[in-house]
Amino acid sequence: HLCLYISQSTFAISSFRFMATNDLMMELQKDSIKLDEDSEKKVVKMLLKLLEDKNGEVQNLAVKCLGPLVGKVKEYQVETIVDTLCTNMLSDKEQLRDISSIGLKTVISELPPASTGSAMTANVCKKITAQLTGAIGKQEDVSVQLEALDILSDMLSRLGGTLYSFHSSILNCLLPQLTSPRLAVRKRAIIALGHLVLTCSGNIFSELTEHLLAELKRNESTSTTRTYIQCVAGISRQAGHRIGEHLEKIIPLIVRYCNVEDDELREYCFQAFESFVRRIFICRDRCPKEIDPHIPNVMELCLKYITFDPNYNYDNEEEEEEEMMETENREDEEQESDDEYSDDDDISWKVRRSAAKCLEAIVSSRHDLLQDFYKTLSPVLISRFKEREENVRADIFSAYISLLKQTLPIQSWLHASDASGKDDVPLAMLQKQVPNIVKALHKQLKEKSIKSRQGCFSLLTELANVLPGCLADHIPALVPGIVFSLADKSSSSNMRIDTLSFLHVLLCNHQPEVFHPHIKSLLPPVVTCIGDPFYKITSEALLVTQQLVKVIRPLDKSCTFDAKPYVKDLFPGTLKRLKAADIDQEVKERAISCMGQIICNLGDHLSTDLQPTLKIFLERLKNEITRLTTVKVLTLIASSPLKINLRPILGEGFPILASFLRKNQRALKLSTLTALDILVKNYSDSLQPAMIESVLTELPTLITENDMHVSQVAIMFLTTLAKVYPSCISKISGSVLAEIFQLVHSPLLQGGALNAIIDFFQALVLTKTATMGYSELMKQLTAPIYSSGSAEASVMLHKQAYYSVAKCVAALSSACPKEVPAIVNQFIQDVKNPKSSSAVKVLAFLSLAEMGRTMNLSAQRELKTVILEAFSSPSEEVKSAASYALGNISVGNLKEYLPFMLKEIGSQPKRQYLLLHSLKEVISSSPANGLKPYVEDIWALLFKHCECTEEGTRNVVAECLGKLTLVNPSELLPRLKKQLSSGSPHARSTVVTAIKFTIADQPQPIDALLKGCIGDFLKTLQDPDLNVRRVALAMFNSAAHNKPSLIRDLLNAVLPSLYNETNVRRELIREVEMGPFKHTVDDGLDVRKAAFECMYTLLESCLDRLDIYEYLNHVEDGLKDHYDIRMLTFIMLARLSTLCPSAVLQRLEQLIEPLRATCSTKVKAGSVKQEFEKQDELKRSAMRAVAALLTIPEVEKSPAMAEFSSQIRSNPEMASLFESIQKDSASLPTPESMDMS
């Protein structure tokens, strides 16, 4: 009806046409609308007619209708639309041309993406492309060309892969446009070429680069050369991973053009350099080897041209500045007259700016050149802080900030042990340059230009973060600038916020004393900012004030500075914000925190103001939005050494705090428990029993294995209660204790929560409460194990629970030493009693072990024989517990037990394994001084057994050797090294494994020695014996995981050996006959697996030291290897997609093939169930890798990936697997990773 209505000849009034077209658009946007063939024709015809309507608004609506229409009509209709639009684009009427080009863009944006496999998209695109290339080639009308280039860019960026067959003609059409007389045409041609190189084949890319190189060599005119250099930079920005191999030829040409006297050309040269460095990053902090050799050259050029200012003389800067202060107005007038003749024509600033940006790119990508940067680059940048052009100065600041960020010591577990040593050199160099930085900046802090001041503060903030304390001597130079920016009326809000945040960093990173002389001038402007109407300024000012309070009166050290005069400045402004109810939440919270800090540090100077303020806190405690912050503040005030009087608010406040323990907010529960703990410790005299009981009733529900941390904090609070209010403990007997015992018997209990329970039991038994004495607690602790007359009860307890119970038993016994002989005797009887279940025996041994570690049990004569008899028990658990007991009892009395143990190891070959485990306990748990007298005997004994044929025994010997070496590394490590030349492979493998046990993730004295000699141990990666190579890889993996600093500098030497182990060795594959079947065994599989595990670990810890292309070669091989190796390399590939997407993009075609092969493998029909499961798991893992590859930006533009994606979609089995993988990854917070320590 609408079409009919629009097409009626009487329908001449444009407003009617407008409304009818609007209705049509509404209809088309509904999913429910279906058009038959006749209606389609009418609607299309009508809309195309309306595009030529005289009324502009009707035309606009008609264009909007095209979008939804594309998805509703048949393909040939879309082709009709496109044909008409293309023809109209070449029309003489400008309005029609414009509306048609908008129409074409709308149609292109609505076409279904190529990955859906729609044939329509391909056909329509081909139609448009043929017409566009024609229009661009004719060069008749520039505006037509510009529109056509625009649409072509759009199409190439969205659907480049679909136009595969046209790429060559598109290239031939675009290249001549680079010499067009119109610069706008050249610019758009460059953009289109940038989109083309993302999806074109290698041949077309080479053709393009060859053309650009040839033209650059010809250098027909400066104007075209500029364009070609811009084009190279554009390509590099879009597809940097492809240009790498051509850099060898490109860079020397661009270097040559840097020396041509043409500022614009130089600017483009530096932009090209910047795009090479930035875009060809392979991983997070490394630019690739292709550009490596050119970096020094490029840097030299940047440093030369960053000072390139031919029309300005900086020499007598100092005197000028002095004069400027006196005759500011006259200077301004002169400045204007200067500008008239020079600055309009002077574009040298563009060269300086592009050089600064290029330097920033180099700095942020080359962490390894930091020392060189501080030697050569840093002084030049500092000298350029005086740059006269504001925009250039901002970029110079930005480059220096990048340098500081690179210097920031890496805060992570990986590099914790690397902190000393190499990283200190750049920091020391920076420290020497701090005076020059401050000298160059402090005058600018008072300049009119807000942008310059913001740049200065950003740089100083970064400096204070990188080198805490470095500005201590320069505070007098900086304070006037800070005060000026805060008080200056012309300062913008952002200027004030930046100044305040710098001041905050400065206060946090320096000693309080350096600020004391300046408090008088700093405090008033900050307090004024608290009253600022803009909430962000207020919020930042409160944060600074809170820090200032700590500076004015630090509580952790004695201080002579008198804080009293400043309280009258600090208190009223903060109080006003604290009272206000109608302000931003952030301001509310910070006002509470700031006032808390004032009371905590200056509460004794507040006199009558204190109590009313505390009453406000009580109000804030009742408010859901502010309660958490208030609880934290009350904790702060309660722990203040000034003993602030909180008693007036405790009566009302304590029950409110108790009610918070019921709330569902975890952070609130934890903060409340901490607050209650402090209040009970410091204000015990003012708490009524009823108050305590109100809290006690809330505690049982908090103690549960579902949240160990909350349980731990709750039990620590109970321990405080048991010490401060022993009387109230009788009230908690039932419910709380039941929960705690349940926790002790939980398999999840360990670490902090277990220690909290141990402390609680010790405090509890000392309260001497009748129902909770030693024997009662022991009975409840061990009841589940002793009740194992009915066998089911003991089965319920996890192995971990036995250790927890044993630790609690030992803790109770150490709190009640009188009970010890009786309980030890009971345990010995339990072990001797043949009727005891193995669970009871295990508990007895573990309890004896825990007690023996801290007490001397030598009075018990029977112990040795009882333990040795248990070594022949039928139960493995009992044997292991007995071995653990012997080791720990020996720790408590080395003199008596250790010689006995060594003698037994020598004389009892059958019990050797268990005795060596006991020895391991002794070495791990004894203090080094206690062990020293026995080291020689133990060492000699261990070396007797290091060639044992049993691998299990050798591993224990190796662990003992490694842990023993830590006792006296300087003497024992060289001895271990000497054993490497030992003839037997078993001995070598033991020594290498021993080294693995000397490497820990915490810093240790042995680290420096290890770093010196780990290279010798790593040489065993080339050992002729397969097993030695395997354990060497395990040791290398451990070092890479726990302490990368040990091996980072050796990687160049070690990697070839590591990569060598990833190859399949035919000579290690043999056939074994199993009855009628032949079975293939690969003896080299374990070594290969270990090598790939090492490669994975290196990705996380030493990525910047890897040649990623070499690395990818071996990953490619692994993708075609055995099941286990493939599973590993799929995970590696997923990780690589995130860490170095560009390198993966470059190798995509080779990487996709094995993935495709895995995903489309079919298992033989008669195979066993395990084979199906194995294959299924492989496919899932491969699909995860595919999903990870698809997250790389621009990956869909790769023809290989697009083809594989459509294959996955068209195969129902693959499609459903892919969907389930995507659902899984959506529910996981982090990418899949594996721990190979």
Side-chain angles (χ1 to χ4, degrees):
H1 294 307
L2 279 167
C3 289
L4 200 67
Y5 190 42
I6 296 172
S7 59
Q8 280 172 353
S9 52
T10 53
F11 187 50
I13 304 166
S14 62
S15 57
F16 281 10
R17 288 201 305 281
F18 176 82
M19 285 154 66
T21 313
N22 195 36
D23 291 345
L24 177 64
M25 187 172 78
M26 292 307 191
E27 286 299 320
L28 286 172
Q29 280 170 346
K30 292 177 187 165
D31 287 336
S32 56
I33 186 169
K34 294 276 184 291
L35 296 172
D36 57 32
E37 201 157 333
D38 198 37
S39 311
E40 275 185 21
K41 266 188 192 158
K42 282 181 184 166
V43 173
V44 170
K45 192 175 169 193
M46 202 59 251
L47 278 177
L48 292 174
K49 192 173 171 192
L50 286 173
L51 285 176
E52 300 180 37
D53 198 282
K54 293 186 185 67
N55 184 320
E57 286 183 349
V58 175
Q59 281 183 318
N60 286 340
L61 268 182
V63 163
K64 284 182 186 166
C65 289
L66 287 176
L69 186 66
V70 169
K72 302 267 190 313
V73 297
K74 293 193 177 59
E75 187 181 321
Y76 72 91
Q77 295 290 6
V78 179
E79 290 182 17
T80 310
I81 295 174
V82 169
D83 274 342
T84 313
L85 290 173
C86 287
T87 316
N88 287 350
M89 248 195 73
L90 305 176
S91 140
D92 302 336
K93 296 179 196 161
E94 191 178 344
Q95 193 178 4
L96 184 57
R97 274 203 316 251
D98 290 349
I99 208 82
S100 302
S101 70
I102 295 171
L104 272 174
K105 284 178 189 168
T106 311
V107 171
I108 290 168
S109 66
E110 287 298 326
L111 285 174
S115 53
T116 55
S118 158
M120 172 169 94
T121 303
N123 295 337
V124 171
C125 284
K126 285 169 187 168
K127 256 201 159 33
I128 300 179
T129 309
Q131 303 242 26
L132 288 180
T133 45
I136 294 168
K138 281 185 187 156
Q139 293 200 356
E140 286 167 3
D141 186 335
V142 173
S143 55
V144 172
Q145 267 189 311
L146 289 175
E147 287 297 348
L149 283 164
D150 229 6
I151 294 166
L152 188 62
S153 292
D154 255 17
M155 207 154 54
L156 283 169
S157 75
R158 256 200 94 229
L159 309 159
T162 319
L163 302 174
Y164 207 69
S165 52
F166 279 91
H167 282 175
S168 181
S169 62
I170 292 175
L171 181 68
N172 295 334
C173 154
L174 290 174
L175 287 179
Q177 306 313 318
L178 293 175
T179 51
S180 160
R182 291 291 297 270
L183 288 179
V185 173
R186 294 186 192 182
K187 200 170 181 182
R188 293 207 187 167
I190 290 174
I191 294 171
L193 282 168
H195 290 307
L196 173 68
V197 291
L198 275 172
T199 50
C200 71
S201 66
N203 297 341
I204 288 182
F205 187 79
S206 300
E207 191 185 328
L208 170 60
T209 34
E210 292 304 326
H211 175 80
L212 292 174
L213 279 167
E215 290 297 333
L216 280 172
K217 281 179 188 155
R218 267 180 58 202
N219 186 19
E220 200 169 275
S221 74
T222 314
S223 160
T224 55
T225 302
R226 281 184 208 152
T227 304
Y228 287 123
I229 289 179
Q230 274 181 299
C231 186
V232 170
I235 291 170
S236 167
R237 273 185 216 103
Q238 286 291 350
H241 58 276
R242 302 185 75 167
I243 206 168
E245 57 200 275
H246 302 279
L247 284 183
E248 201 51 54
K249 296 175 192 160
I250 297 174
I251 289 185
L253 283 172
I254 298 184
V255 168
R256 198 174 83 205
Y257 287 121
C258 277
N259 300 319
V260 175
E261 284 299 322
D262 179 325
D263 287 351
E264 241 179 298
L265 184 60
R266 283 183 186 137
E267 179 194 5
Y268 297 149
C269 287
F270 283 120
Q271 284 174 354
F273 287 143
E274 183 195 352
S275 75
F276 299 151
V277 176
R278 271 197 199 286
R279 184 59 198 161
I280 313 174
F281 283 175
I282 288 188
C283 19
R284 289 167 296 186
D285 52 358
R286 184 101 172 84
C287 62
K289 57 180 182 187
E290 284 105 342
I291 197 164
D292 270 10
H294 306 288
I295 290 278
N297 212 345
V298 172
M299 232 172 89
E300 197 180 316
L301 282 169
C302 290
L303 292 175
K304 176 178 167 188
Y305 283 104
I306 200 168
T307 59
F308 172 70
D309 199 353
N311 301 345
Y312 194 77
N313 183 11
Y314 288 93
D315 289 349
N316 44 10
E317 181 101 329
E318 297 296 319
E319 298 107 70
E320 276 179 25
E321 283 198 1
E322 300 299 318
E323 284 171 33
M324 204 171 94
M325 302 299 280
E326 297 157 24
T327 59
E328 211 166 21
N329 299 340
R330 198 186 55 185
E331 190 76 23
D332 272 354
E333 288 156 27
E334 278 180 31
Q335 190 73 39
E336 279 167 26
S337 61
D338 283 0
D339 287 356
E340 279 169 23
Y341 71 87
S342 73
D343 275 14
D344 289 347
D345 313 325
D346 177 21
I347 56 165
S348 65
W349 65 273
K350 289 184 171 179
V351 179
R352 296 197 299 281
R353 187 177 67 178
S354 55
K357 284 185 164 170
C358 184
L359 278 176
E360 183 180 351
I362 294 174
V363 166
S364 46
S365 65
R366 293 305 299 265
H367 186 77
D368 52 323
L369 296 177
L370 258 184
Q371 291 190 29
D372 296 348
F373 292 155
Y374 274 108
K375 208 177 289 166
T376 54
L377 190 144
S378 174
V380 176
L381 284 177
I382 294 172
S383 72
R384 292 303 304 164
F385 288 168
K386 63 189 174 188
E387 166 66 55
R388 66 199 171 100
E389 193 63 48
E390 192 174 73
N391 291 332
V392 183
R393 195 186 312 156
D395 283 316
I396 290 172
F397 284 157
S398 177
Y400 205 84
I401 289 170
S402 282
L403 179 60
L404 291 172
K405 282 185 172 150
Q406 286 290 315
T407 320
L408 196 64
I410 300 166
Q411 302 295 326
S412 85
W413 62 272
L414 262 178
H415 299 273
S417 53
D418 304 13
S420 57
K422 218 178 99 185
D423 288 353
D424 295 349
V425 182
L427 286 172
M429 293 167 90
L430 173 60
Q431 182 75 53
K432 288 192 184 120
Q433 296 179 18
V434 169
N436 297 343
I437 295 176
V438 176
K439 188 179 172 196
L441 292 182
H442 79 95
K443 285 179 186 152
Q444 293 190 29
L445 290 177
K446 285 193 157 188
E447 272 193 10
K448 280 183 191 162
S449 157
I450 286 180
K451 194 172 179 183
S452 290
R453 278 187 281 160
Q454 278 180 309
C456 292
F457 281 129
S458 302
L459 196 151
L460 288 166
T461 306
E462 202 60 51
L463 182 63
N465 278 326
V466 173
L467 262 185
C470 70
L471 295 170
D473 303 337
H474 308 287
I475 302 290
L478 298 174
V479 166
I482 294 172
V483 173
F484 172 73
S485 274
L486 289 179
D488 179 29
K489 292 282 177 285
S490 66
S491 284
S492 65
S493 305
N494 284 347
M495 181 71 252
R496 288 208 181 114
I497 292 169
D498 287 355
T499 312
L500 287 166
S501 71
F502 164 63
L503 182 53
H504 184 248
V505 170
L506 196 65
L507 292 167
C508 291
N509 286 332
H510 291 74
Q511 291 301 317
E513 301 78 57
V514 297
F515 299 104
H516 288 161
H518 309 286
I519 294 290
K520 202 169 186 178
S521 51
L522 276 176
L523 196 55
V526 174
V527 171
T528 312
C529 285
I530 294 180
D532 196 276
F534 184 38
Y535 77 96
K536 282 191 172 172
I537 294 181
T538 309
S539 161
E540 203 64 44
L542 285 164
L543 206 57
V544 172
T545 310
Q546 188 175 346
Q547 200 57 38
L548 267 171
V549 172
K550 295 184 201 171
V551 166
I552 291 172
R553 189 179 189 184
L555 295 175
D556 50 353
K557 48 181 164 185
S558 58
C559 170
T560 51
F561 183 73
D562 180 21
K564 196 165 184 189
Y566 301 104
V567 177
K568 63 179 189 313
D569 294 335
L570 285 164
F571 184 77
T574 311
L575 183 66
K576 185 179 170 200
R577 288 299 185 192
L578 179 68
K579 282 179 173 169
D582 54 344
I583 47 170
D584 188 82
Q585 188 183 341
E586 191 180 323
V587 178
K588 275 184 193 168
E589 289 177 357
R590 287 191 174 168
I592 293 170
S593 303
C594 182
M595 184 55 88
Q597 200 71 55
I598 293 174
I599 294 176
C600 172
N601 289 44
L602 304 165
D604 49 350
H605 295 318
L606 292 178
S607 60
T608 52
D609 288 327
L610 177 63
Q611 290 315 318
T613 313
L614 290 176
K615 284 276 187 287
I616 300 175
F617 279 149
L618 202 54
E619 291 307 310
R620 297 288 170 267
L621 201 57
K622 295 171 186 169
N623 181 331
E624 193 174 335
I625 294 174
T626 52
R627 64 190 180 191
L628 179 59
T629 314
T630 314
V631 171
K632 288 179 180 169
V633 163
L634 285 176
T635 313
L636 180 73
I637 297 172
S639 52
S640 164
L642 302 178
K643 305 266 182 290
I644 307 296
N645 180 15
L646 286 175
R647 287 167 186 79
I649 64 162
L650 284 183
E652 198 178 336
F654 219 78
I656 298 177
L657 288 174
S659 73
F660 289 167
L661 296 177
R662 242 174 289 155
K663 301 285 184 254
N664 215 356
Q665 194 182 350
R666 186 169 183 268
L668 183 65
K669 283 184 204 170
L670 287 168
S671 299
T672 305
L673 284 167
T674 316
L676 289 168
D677 195 55
I678 288 285
L679 288 169
V680 168
K681 277 180 186 156
N682 294 351
Y683 295 86
S684 52
D685 51 344
S686 9
L687 300 176
Q688 309 301 324
M691 291 184 186
I692 302 284
E693 278 169 38
S694 68
V695 174
L696 276 177
T697 53
E698 306 296 343
L699 290 176
T701 51
L702 297 181
I703 300 170
T704 154
E705 64 175 23
N706 296 335
D707 191 333
M708 281 296 180
H709 187 54
V710 171
S711 304
Q712 177 183 339
V713 180
I715 293 167
M716 284 158 82
F717 173 52
L718 275 171
T719 312
T720 306
L721 280 178
K723 288 175 182 165
V724 179
Y725 286 106
S727 56
C728 75
I729 283 298
S730 54
K731 304 262 182 6
I732 66 166
S733 56
S735 49
V736 171
L737 270 179
E739 295 295 342
I740 291 180
F741 285 125
Q742 204 163 351
L743 207 54
V744 173
H745 299 139
S746 156
L748 304 175
L749 182 68
Q750 55 176 11
L754 178 58
N755 293 336
I757 290 182
I758 288 172
D759 290 346
F760 172 66
F761 279 147
Q762 288 183 322
L764 187 61
V765 81
L766 293 175
T767 59
K768 307 263 190 302
T769 310
T771 53
M772 281 167 270
Y774 178 82
S775 53
E776 185 58 32
L777 289 171
M778 287 292 275
K779 193 170 159 192
Q780 290 199 40
L781 262 177
T782 56
I785 297 162
Y786 279 104
S787 66
S788 59
S790 56
E792 303 83 54
S794 68
V795 177
M796 298 305 287
L797 279 194
H798 188 272
K799 191 176 174 188
Q800 177 61 38
Y802 288 98
Y803 284 93
S804 306
V805 172
K807 281 192 163 71
C808 294
V809 167
L812 284 171
S813 305
S814 71
C816 308
K818 288 181 189 160
E819 310 279 354
V820 171
I823 194 76
V824 170
N825 204 23
Q826 184 201 321
F827 285 137
I828 291 176
Q829 296 312 318
D830 281 341
V831 174
K832 282 164 70 178
N833 181 355
K835 289 183 182 163
S836 297
S837 66
S838 59
V840 171
K841 289 182 181 174
V842 168
L843 176 68
F845 278 130
L846 293 180
S847 304
L848 287 169
E850 295 300 335
M851 288 157 79
R853 192 183 305 151
T854 49
M855 308 170 195
N856 185 344
L857 297 183
S858 55
Q860 300 289 338
R861 291 280 155 234
E862 288 181 280
L863 257 181
K864 288 181 195 167
T865 49
V866 165
I867 289 175
L868 289 178
E869 276 169 20
F871 278 3
S872 42
S873 156
S875 157
E876 286 300 323
E877 276 83 11
V878 173
K879 281 191 210 169
S880 162
S883 153
Y884 181 74
L886 179 60
N888 280 290
I889 292 166
S890 307
V891 173
N893 186 355
L894 283 174
K895 202 155 69 185
E896 181 173 337
Y897 278 89
L898 193 55
F900 159 74
M901 192 190 296
L902 296 177
K903 187 170 119 261
E904 285 290 317
I905 293 175
S907 63
Q908 299 280 351
K910 279 189 180 165
R911 298 176 181 166
Q912 212 172 63
Y913 181 70
L914 292 167
L915 287 162
L916 283 168
H917 266 289
S918 304
L919 181 60
K920 181 187 79 181
E921 288 298 330
V922 175
I923 297 172
S924 307
S925 307
S926 301
N929 295 341
L931 272 179
K932 277 198 172 145
Y934 306 101
V935 167
E936 290 302 326
D937 297 343
I938 300 176
W939 190 263
L941 179 77
L942 289 172
F943 268 105
K944 267 186 202 153
H945 293 96
C946 74
E947 298 188 23
C948 174
T949 49
E950 278 285 317
E951 188 173 3
T953 307
R954 282 206 310 277
N955 282 344
V956 186
V957 169
E959 191 169 347
C960 291
L961 276 173
K963 301 251 169 89
L964 191 61
T965 305
L966 296 174
V967 173
N968 184 359
S970 54
E971 197 179 312
L972 297 180
L973 195 58
R975 283 205 217 170
L976 264 185
K977 192 170 129 186
K978 216 182 265 171
Q979 292 293 333
L980 274 180
S981 52
S982 146
S984 132
H986 282 340
R988 289 200 300 278
S989 73
T990 307
V991 169
V992 174
T993 309
I995 291 296
K996 184 174 89 173
F997 288 107
T998 62
I999 301 168
D1001 54 359
Q1002 298 303 319
Q1004 288 182 313
I1006 195 173
D1007 292 347
L1009 298 165
L1010 255 183
K1011 196 164 187 181
C1013 69
I1014 198 163
D1016 298 311
F1017 290 103
L1018 286 173
K1019 282 183 187 148
T1020 51
L1021 285 171
Q1022 297 158 353
D1023 197 278
D1025 184 82
L1026 194 65
N1027 193 41
V1028 175
R1029 296 206 298 277
R1030 183 177 58 78
V1031 296
L1033 285 165
M1035 182 263 287
F1036 178 58
N1037 194 13
S1038 172
H1041 183 78
N1042 295 310
K1043 206 159 275 164
S1045 55
L1046 293 175
I1047 53 136
R1048 284 172 77 83
D1049 300 333
L1050 300 170
L1051 283 181
N1052 286 347
V1054 175
L1055 282 175
S1057 308
L1058 170 64
Y1059 290 150
N1060 193 29
E1061 292 306 324
T1062 62
N1063 302 328
V1064 178
R1065 303 264 167 87
R1066 295 274 162 245
E1067 68 273 16
L1068 294 175
I1069 299 177
R1070 54 198 167 86
E1071 277 197 344
V1072 180
E1073 290 193 3
M1074 300 171 90
F1077 302 108
K1078 283 189 174 174
H1079 182 60
T1080 312
V1081 176
D1082 182 353
D1083 292 329
L1085 180 61
D1086 284 348
V1087 175
R1088 286 208 306 286
K1089 205 167 156 191
F1092 276 106
E1093 283 171 5
C1094 288
M1095 282 174 63
Y1096 182 83
T1097 307
L1098 289 174
L1099 266 191
E1100 299 299 329
S1101 56
C1102 303
L1103 182 60
D1104 54 331
R1105 297 297 176 93
L1106 300 176
D1107 170 353
I1108 212 73
Y1109 293 112
E1110 172 73 8
Y1111 185 96
L1112 275 168
N1113 290 340
H1114 299 285
V1115 173
E1116 273 172 45
D1117 295 341
L1119 290 170
K1120 303 167 196 146
D1121 203 329
H1122 180 273
Y1123 166 81
D1124 291 349
I1125 309 281
R1126 274 193 285 169
M1127 291 295 280
L1128 258 173
T1129 44
F1130 290 150
I1131 296 172
M1132 286 161 78
L1133 191 55
R1135 196 77 192 98
L1136 280 161
S1137 309
T1138 349
L1139 295 177
C1140 11
S1142 310
V1144 174
L1145 266 185
Q1146 233 168 313
R1147 291 292 181 81
L1148 207 52
E1149 284 178 27
Q1150 297 95 304
L1151 294 168
I1152 282 178
E1153 267 325 297
L1155 288 173
R1156 190 202 307 267
T1158 302
C1159 289
S1160 41
T1161 308
K1162 293 269 187 286
V1163 187
K1164 286 178 192 160
S1167 301
V1168 290
K1169 184 183 168 202
Q1170 285 90 329
E1171 195 56 42
F1172 279 100
E1173 286 171 359
K1174 217 173 178 184
Q1175 202 55 45
D1176 200 44
E1177 200 39 60
L1178 252 186
K1179 282 184 183 175
R1180 287 188 75 78
S1181 197
M1183 238 358 142
R1184 279 191 206 104
V1186 174
L1189 287 174
L1190 285 170
T1191 60
I1192 300 178
E1194 299 158 8
V1195 76
E1196 277 286 9
K1197 292 175 181 162
S1198 142
M1201 194 68 194
E1203 189 192 334
F1204 187 28
S1205 294
S1206 60
Q1207 187 184 339
I1208 291 174
R1209 287 192 186 88
S1210 58
N1211 178 325
E1213 188 191 335
M1214 282 198 210
S1216 67
L1217 179 60
F1218 185 66
E1219 272 170 38
S1220 75
I1221 294 290
Q1222 284 194 309
K1223 275 180 197 153
D1224 292 351
S1225 60
S1227 59
L1228 286 173
T1230 51
E1232 177 173 4
S1233 75
M1234 56 184 190
D1235 191 348
M1236 299 249 161
S1237 51

